[in-house]
């Protein structure tokens, strides 16, 4: 049973991200480089957040329960803000390196666009974020032990996998919208992305009240998916043409 839980949760948490990587990134070396660099920038933000968290814990009274809760909230807020700072830094780095990226790209293909870089960079952020939030949980799912034997929720692993999936996708959508806001100097877009990131991360503090955290997170995920679609140049006309083409292909076959 533990092996089934392990693979089931792993496929839920990382299956969509793995599919996106295989079908949209893996065959393009330049996109792979951008994705790995994005994951590295997220790791740098985690390193800085961990350093500040370590100093804050050492400087505080660990026996005070209220202080511990306050430190937890502080850690969440600071981590979100530093992640967005590193996302902006990575955007600036990619924009400055655009000419170099075009020069080393395949001459037979079109140069990578800002929207494509935003998508790949966001997926890099999301994959690394999901890996760090889920790897220890997957390790625990292999046992020994039984979840819920002492009255705790039996849905801990599945809800953790669903939350990891949402965060991975959200980082991808946030990357697209964030880069679009930077490109067009729409600073309110960046503020909205940061606020939504803070909201989603704060909702995770409600756990184990999963009914209060998961539904709102997936509402935000759906809304960001629509926003990212239109920000990347999508339109209702594109969807209509896609549906028409599929019906034509089905009829001809």
């Amino acid at each position: 049973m533990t092996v089934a839980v392990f693979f089931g949760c792993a496929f839920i948490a990382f299956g969509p991200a793995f599919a996106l990587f295989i079908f949209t990134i893996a065959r393009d070396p330049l996109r792979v480089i951008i994705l790995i660099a994005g994951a590295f920038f997220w790791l740098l933000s985690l390193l800085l957040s961990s350093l500040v968290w370590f100093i804050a814990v050492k400087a505080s009274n660990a026996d005070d329960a209220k202080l511990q809760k306050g430190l937890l909230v502080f850690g969440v807020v600071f981590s979100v803000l530093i992640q967005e700072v590193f996302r902006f830094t990575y955007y600036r780095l990619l924009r400055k390196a655009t000419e170099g990226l075009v020069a080393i790209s395949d001459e037979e293909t079109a140069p990578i666009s800002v929207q494509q870089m935003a998508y790949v960079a966001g997926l890099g952020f999301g994959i690394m974020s999901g890996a760090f939030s889920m790897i220890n949980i997957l390790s625990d799912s292999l046992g020994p032990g039984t979840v819920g034997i002492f009255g705790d929720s039996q849905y801990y692993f599945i809800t953790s996998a669903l939350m990891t999936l949402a965060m991975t996708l959200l980082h991808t959508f946030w990357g697209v919208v964030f880069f679009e806001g930077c490109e067009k100097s729409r600073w309110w877009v960046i503020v909205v992305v940061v606020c939504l990131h803070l909201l989603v991360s704060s909702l995770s503090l409600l756990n184990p009240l999963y009914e209060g955290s998961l539904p709102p997170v997936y509402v935000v995920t759906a809304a960001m998916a629509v926003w990212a679609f239109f920000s990347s140049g999508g339109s209702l006309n594109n969807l209509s043409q896609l549906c028409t083409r599929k019906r034509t292909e089905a009829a001809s076959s």
Side-chain angles (χ1 to χ4, degrees):
M1 185 63 182
T2 53
V3 175
V5 172
F6 173 85
F7 283 106
C9 292
F11 290 150
I12 290 173
F14 302 111
F18 182 72
L20 289 174
F21 173 77
I22 292 297
F23 291 110
T24 64
I25 296 175
R27 287 180 286 185
D28 189 332
L30 183 57
R31 294 186 184 184
V32 174
I33 292 172
I34 295 174
L35 180 129
I36 294 175
F40 177 71
F41 267 74
W42 189 90
L43 281 176
L44 289 179
S45 71
L46 177 66
L47 177 62
L48 182 56
S49 300
S50 301
L51 178 62
V52 174
W53 170 260
F54 177 79
I55 295 174
V57 170
K58 288 297 182 181
S60 63
N61 182 8
D63 296 329
D64 190 339
K66 291 184 178 181
L67 183 57
Q68 288 180 350
K69 292 182 180 180
L71 283 174
L72 181 60
V73 174
F74 165 77
V76 169
V77 173
F78 182 81
S79 178
V80 168
L81 294 178
I82 202 65
Q83 286 178 49
E84 296 305 329
V85 168
F86 272 83
R87 195 193 305 274
F88 180 76
T89 303
Y90 190 40
Y91 161 77
R92 295 294 299 172
L93 178 65
L94 286 175
R95 289 301 292 154
K96 289 184 177 296
T98 298
E99 294 182 1
L101 291 174
V102 172
I104 66 175
S105 62
D106 190 351
E107 295 181 356
E108 298 179 356
T109 60
I112 189 168
S113 65
V114 175
Q115 291 84 358
Q116 291 172 337
M117 288 192 295
Y119 159 71
V120 177
L123 186 60
F125 267 63
I127 290 175
M128 191 55 62
S129 173
F132 266 81
S133 64
M134 196 64 189
I135 192 68
N136 289 332
I137 297 175
L138 289 176
S139 177
D140 291 338
S141 70
L142 290 173
T146 302
V147 178
I149 195 172
F150 294 114
D152 297 321
S153 174
Q154 298 182 2
Y155 305 106
Y156 172 69
F157 292 124
I158 185 68
T159 51
S160 298
L162 290 171
M163 182 65 78
T164 300
L165 169 61
M167 287 301 299
T168 302
L169 295 177
L170 278 171
H171 271 293
T172 305
F173 302 147
W174 285 331
V176 173
V177 175
F178 191 97
F179 277 39
E180 190 259 352
C182 293
E183 277 291 295
K184 298 182 179 179
S185 298
R186 295 177 178 173
W187 306 117
W188 65 270
V189 172
I190 298 175
V191 172
V192 171
V193 169
V194 174
C195 290
L196 288 176
H197 196 171
L198 285 170
L199 173 63
V200 171
S201 298
S202 300
L203 286 172
S204 66
L205 298 177
L206 296 176
N207 294 335
L209 183 61
Y210 302 119
E211 300 85 352
S213 59
L214 273 180
V217 167
Y218 272 87
V219 169
V220 174
T221 303
M224 287 305 307
V226 175
W227 191 355
F229 173 75
F230 288 106
S231 293
S232 59
S235 65
L236 295 177
N237 186 41
N238 297 141
L239 291 177
S240 177
Q241 291 177 353
L242 177 62
C243 294
T244 304
R245 184 182 307 168
K246 287 185 175 180
R247 286 196 296 267
T248 303
E249 292 176 354
S252 61
S253 59

